[in-house]
Amino acid sequence: MPQHIVDLKNKKRYFIVPQSHQKDEIIRQEKEIPSYYLSWEAPEYLHFEKGRNWTLTLFAAGAALAVIFFAMNNYSGMVVALLGTFVVYLLGHRAPRYMEHKITPLGIELDGRLFLFDELQSFWILYHPPVKELILRSKKTVMPLIHLQLYSADPNRIREILLDFLPEKEEEEPLSHIIAHLLKF
């Protein structure tokens, strides 16, 4: 059985022919290696339009929390509640950036940042409309799950490509994501 050698600099794949099958040629070019297998653009997170009721509810909850802290003479808690409300408002109305995602021979590239296949344990494609995302389990303890929005990308094609590099392992959607979707955040 021939051994494969990958030349990433020249983007070519070679294989070494065993002694028994060798004639005049020791190394023969098999085929070009693509710079990437699949590419798509998607927002960095799922965005919901916030209406007037969402904003009023947020400010009412923040004001109520601030009043409770004020009544308890906890002024630092009151300031944190007011600042937290303002930050949530700003983040809730911020439109997501569109990022380019690529599946390359070395790993998965997210807007220029490469996650090597050697650093990843498994993948799972989560599809519960409106949620359609690729979840990657990393070997790193600091960032164990990486979520990529699929948007208009074909999940079957992505799964087909990733099965060559990573095992597929079912992942549950984190509780924080479920709550954020319910709150339209």
Side-chain angles (χ1 to χ4, degrees), residues 42-91:
E44 59 186 324
Y45 55 86
L46 194 58
H47 181 70
F48 297 97
E49 287 298 320
K50 275 74 169 179
R52 185 170 168 231
N53 289 340
W54 186 90
T55 305
L56 290 175
T57 304
L58 173 69
F59 283 126
L65 198 57
V67 167
I68 291 171
F69 281 126
F70 182 77
M72 294 178 9
N73 292 328
N74 186 349
Y75 302 114
S76 60
M78 180 183 75
V79 170
V80 168
L82 292 173
L83 286 175
T85 302
F86 184 67
V87 168
V88 169
Y89 171 78
L90 290 178
L91 290 175

Side-chain angles (χ1 to χ4, degrees), residues 52-149:
R52 185 170 168 231
N53 289 340
W54 186 90
T55 305
L56 290 175
T57 304
L58 173 69
F59 283 126
L65 198 57
V67 167
I68 291 171
F69 281 126
F70 182 77
M72 294 178 9
N73 292 328
N74 186 349
Y75 302 114
S76 60
M78 180 183 75
V79 170
V80 168
L82 292 173
L83 286 175
T85 302
F86 184 67
V87 168
V88 169
Y89 171 78
L90 290 178
L91 290 175
H93 288 305
R94 183 180 144 246
R97 292 184 313 131
Y98 275 75
M99 306 170 84
E100 186 177 16
H101 303 67
K102 290 182 184 177
I103 301 175
T104 70
L106 294 176
I108 297 176
E109 191 176 312
L110 170 62
D111 207 33
R113 181 174 177 199
L114 183 65
F115 296 97
L116 298 172
F117 287 124
D118 293 341
E119 298 172 354
L120 300 173
Q121 287 180 354
S122 62
F123 77 96
W124 180 250
I125 295 178
L126 184 66
Y127 187 73
H128 298 293
V131 178
K132 183 172 136 182
E133 63 187 12
L134 171 64
I135 301 174
L136 302 169
R137 177 158 294 277
S138 175
K139 292 179 182 175
K140 297 179 182 179
T141 55
V142 177
M143 188 174 57
L145 292 178
I146 303 162
H147 295 261
L148 305 176
Q149 297 298 319

